[in-house]
Amino acid sequence: MNKNYLIGVDLGGTTTKIGFFTRDGILVRKYEIPTRTSSGGEMIIEDICESIELTLRGLGIAKNEVIGVGIGVPGAVKNEAYVEPCVNLNAWGGFDAASAFSKELGFPVKVGNDANVAALGEMWKGGGEGSKNLLFVTLGTGVGAGIIVDGKLLCGTHGAAGEIGHMKVNPHETETCGCGKNGCLEQYVSATGLVNSCHKLLSGSNVRTSLHNLREITCEAVFCAAKDGDDVAKQLLEKWGKVFGMALANVSSVYDPEIIVVGGGVSKAGNVVIKLAEKYFVSYAFPASEKTRFALACLGNDAGIYGGAKLALELAN
Amino acid sequence: MNKNYLIGVDLGGTTTKIGFFTRDGILVRKYEIPTRTSSGGEMIIEDICESIELTLRGLGIAKNEVIGVGIGVPGAVKNEAYVEPCVNLNAWGGFDAASAFSKELGFPVKVGNDANVAALGEMWKGGGEGSKNLLFVTLGTGVGAGIIVDGKLLCGTHGAAGEIGHMKVNPHETETCGCGKNGCLEQYVSATGLVNSCHKLLSGSNVRTSLHNLREITCEAVFCAAKDGDDVAKQLLEKWGKVFGMALANVSSVYDPEIIVVGGGVSKAGNVVIKLAEKYFVSYAFPASEKTRFALACLGNDAGIYGGAKLALELAN
């Protein structure tokens, strides 16, 4: 029998998204289950495997029609199998998760870091479709990134490839980043970073700006104010674009991707995000790389399950 | 007949180094010929091919015993074949050099950027022996780098992977780099950059330092003065190490190599170079990558021919 189905899993700290796909990447079914992180996440594997088996029966898909499962996890992964203990999963990890899932399910499994797996999704069916050399950056609470070279995820020796959120952009920073060091990219260009920069600017200034009137500062609000012509918001975003664009130019000097796909909360502001980043990217990039393309991510929260399915597709050969 | 020989060529602006190796990487013969760059380098291919054929006859190696030829060139290369016009070769390039050499010689040829090919050499038989995920950095007139992932060269979409010498480390720099932009890593940490920093420091200061007594400032002289306890030289090198180490930490946040091998003129100062770079690397690196190893390059000017031979070895399969 031909194997025609792929399963993508996006294992998050609160919910786990599961998607069933045809081999061509058509989404057959998707849903979420809660992630039970209690007791070091001891129920995680069982919950996911039971859910997958139940859904396969419901869809009338026999187990031997499934090529495999690809799973994105919120932590470092080695050899597409071994998961380091994950902070957001109550330290779940420290073992070969691919083998553990595979033993339970009876078909092959590959595991990857969630940002990396999402990058695969955006390459396969999202903003980077058609490209095999891609940088996917998510600007949310932090800055995550996935690096794809020749269609394959780059994981790194210590599972730390794509940790561009922790590139140092300001050695004089006194505030500490989540990683324990100072002056990381994500302290300035993540959604949280942009909001922080805004708070700092407002607290120390008497300039007239509509941002003073907001009940709560959010990324969307800053982008809206800039669109409405607020000079302070505009300056804030230019500074943001400069830091982000320069960092992307530096990433590009390392591995020279074809396209940079930007996702996450900040990217909801739309094309203006891309335009700002690209403007400064071009001014700082090595000349040969100036024409690197930019695109918005377009799979949203589904990037993880699409990427998981793409990871599983590698099991087909 | 078994194919047992590899040929590595390092095509430079002044001389071309050619090495004949066994399949295991034992150097059988090496020598240099002048590179004739006149008339757009029209004699380059003929000169190299004639020399190779003559040497093969001299060594008693039949053509069908040769696996292939790997050639490093001083410019951007696409698909291990197409060479962009090379500034240092009087604009030689702009065509598929692998095919052109192969047609002339009658065996398969691969071409790569010289810094990248040297990285392959250091991985195969040099400072990075035994590792398959390596960053090779040469600190000479400029800063060149080769990136190896899973034993293979990473070239980039526009042939610009490894252009880490043009990562921007100081957006406020007013002097222009050779690439046409400002504030590039190589303006500070190359041999030339270190000497320039020294000149600037001395011209604007009345501090007592033995560096004032030098007839000519060289990297070696700065390292010597620091070793002899000169405080100004020591400060200069700490600043150098800080810029270099932070840039390497940022490269590491992108693709997380196993080992960083440092070569080129500056590295002649020995282990102190590695120690300085590593100290600041550790203080800026993403925690998971802090244990990245450092080593000095050890093939010197032969890295290119060893790397060419390693590139040719890929033709064996």
Side-chain angles (χ1 to χ4, degrees), chain A residues 38-123:
Chain A
S38 53
S39 308
E42 63 175 13
M43 298 305 292
I44 286 176
I45 294 178
E46 201 177 313
D47 285 352
I48 293 173
C49 294
E50 268 186 21
S51 171
I52 287 175
E53 296 193 346
L54 210 65
T55 308
L56 284 176
R57 278 203 292 278
L59 290 168
I61 299 170
K63 274 195 159 192
N64 59 3
E65 289 180 277
V66 175
I67 294 165
V69 183
I71 305 175
V73 301
V77 177
K78 284 184 191 164
N79 303 318
E80 301 187 319
Y82 180 89
V83 178
E84 298 282 357
C86 300
V87 178
N88 293 339
L89 298 176
N90 212 351
W92 180 85
F95 58 90
D96 181 337
S99 297
F101 275 102
S102 184
K103 197 177 156 195
E104 196 80 16
L105 287 166
F107 32 70
V109 175
K110 280 194 178 198
V111 184
N113 166 270
D114 52 6
N116 289 356
V117 171
L120 271 186
E122 288 288 343
M123 174 191 78

Side-chain angles (χ1 to χ4, degrees), chain B residues 150-222:
Chain B
D150 286 337
K152 294 229 163 195
L153 278 178
L154 208 149
C155 297
T157 306
H158 314 89
E163 287 292 354
I164 69 165
H166 301 284
M167 289 175 88
K168 301 300 171 287
V169 297
N170 177 13
H172 309 296
E173 178 60 74
T174 53
E175 279 180 26
T176 305
C177 175
C179 74
K181 296 191 176 176
N182 305 65
C184 294
L185 180 66
E186 79 173 30
Q187 292 182 275
Y188 310 95
V189 308
S190 64
T192 318
L194 179 59
V195 169
N196 281 349
S197 303
C198 188
H199 280 300
K200 275 184 198 162
L201 188 75
L202 295 184
S203 72
S205 95
N206 296 314
V207 289
R208 289 169 76 100
T209 162
S210 63
L211 296 170
H212 278 306
N213 309 329
L214 294 169
R215 228 173 47 179
E216 191 195 0
I217 305 278
T218 61
C219 279
E220 291 86 335
V222 176

Side-chain angles (χ1 to χ4, degrees), chain A residues 158 168 181 256 282 290, chain B residues 158 168 181 250 256 282 290:
Chain A
H158 315 89
K168 300 300 171 286
K181 297 191 176 176
D256 187 21
V282 170
E290 281 174 10
Chain B
H158 314 89
K168 301 300 171 287
K181 296 191 176 176
N250 285 349
D256 187 22
V282 170
E290 279 173 11

Side-chain angles (χ1 to χ4, degrees), chain A residues 15-36:
Chain A
T15 61
T16 297
K17 298 178 192 72
I18 305 179
F20 294 75
F21 295 82
T22 65
R23 186 184 183 111
D24 303 327
I26 294 165
L27 182 62
V28 177
R29 179 156 316 166
K30 68 166 181 176
Y31 58 88
E32 295 182 5
I33 59 172
T35 307
R36 286 199 278 170

Side-chain angles (χ1 to χ4, degrees), chain A:
Chain A
M1 184 182 282
N2 282 333
K3 291 187 186 292
N4 286 319
Y5 293 97
L6 302 162
I7 300 171
V9 178
D10 184 4
L11 173 49
T14 313
T15 61
T16 297
K17 298 178 192 72
I18 305 179
F20 294 75
F21 295 82
T22 65
R23 186 184 183 111
D24 303 327
I26 294 165
L27 182 62
V28 177
R29 179 156 316 166
K30 68 166 181 176
Y31 58 88
E32 295 182 5
I33 59 172
T35 307
R36 286 199 278 170
T37 55
S38 53
S39 308
E42 63 175 13
M43 298 305 292
I44 286 176
I45 294 178
E46 201 177 313
D47 285 352
I48 293 173
C49 294
E50 268 186 21
S51 171
I52 287 175
E53 296 193 346
L54 210 65
T55 308
L56 284 176
R57 278 203 292 278
L59 290 168
I61 299 170
K63 274 195 159 192
N64 59 3
E65 289 180 277
V66 175
I67 294 165
V69 183
I71 305 175
V73 301
V77 177
K78 284 184 191 164
N79 303 318
E80 301 187 319
Y82 180 89
V83 178
E84 298 282 357
C86 300
V87 178
N88 293 339
L89 298 176
N90 212 351
W92 180 85
F95 58 90
D96 181 337
S99 297
F101 275 102
S102 184
K103 197 177 156 195
E104 196 80 16
L105 287 166
F107 32 70
V109 175
K110 280 194 178 198
V111 184
N113 166 270
D114 52 6
N116 289 356
V117 171
L120 271 186
E122 288 288 343
M123 174 191 78
W124 196 35
K125 298 290 170 185
E129 198 173 342
S131 172
K132 292 194 150 191
N133 289 287
L134 176 141
L135 171 66
F136 173 61
V137 192
T138 40
L139 305 172
T141 314
V143 172
I147 287 174
I148 294 174
V149 175
D150 285 337
K152 294 228 162 197
L153 277 178
L154 208 150
C155 297
T157 306
H158 315 89
E163 288 292 354
I164 69 166
H166 302 284
M167 288 175 88
K168 300 300 171 286
V169 297
N170 177 13
H172 308 296
E173 178 60 73
T174 52
E175 279 179 26
T176 303
C177 175
C179 75
K181 297 191 176 176
N182 304 66
C184 294
L185 180 65
E186 78 174 31
Q187 291 182 275
Y188 309 96
V189 308
S190 65
T192 318
L194 178 58
V195 169
N196 281 348
S197 303
C198 188
H199 280 300
K200 274 184 198 163
L201 188 75
L202 295 184
S203 73
S205 95
N206 296 314
V207 289
R208 290 169 76 99
T209 163
S210 63
L211 296 170
H212 278 306
N213 308 329
L214 295 169
R215 229 175 44 181
E216 191 195 0
I217 306 277
T218 62
C219 280
E220 290 88 333
V222 176
F223 277 98
C224 277
K227 200 178 165 191
D228 292 344
D230 186 291
D231 282 332
V232 173
K234 277 157 84 178
Q235 278 168 35
L236 197 67
L237 290 182
E238 287 295 325
K239 210 173 154 188
W240 172 89
K242 193 169 179 173
V243 176
F244 188 39
M246 188 163 89
L248 293 178
N250 285 349
V251 172
S252 182
S253 295
V254 178
Y255 90 102
D256 187 21
E258 183 183 357
I259 184 167
I260 297 173
V261 180
V262 183
V266 178
S267 72
K268 288 181 186 155
N271 279 323
V272 59
V273 172
I274 298 299
K275 280 185 186 154
L276 266 170
E278 194 171 6
K279 177 171 95 176
Y280 287 102
F281 175 87
V282 170
S283 78
Y284 292 117
F286 184 67
S289 303
E290 281 174 10
K291 288 188 177 158
T292 303
R293 290 187 294 129
F294 278 73
L296 285 171
C298 56
L299 296 176
N301 287 331
D302 289 346
I305 53 171
Y306 273 90
K310 179 70 171 84
L311 195 61
L313 186 56
E314 291 173 14
L315 295 161
N317 305 316

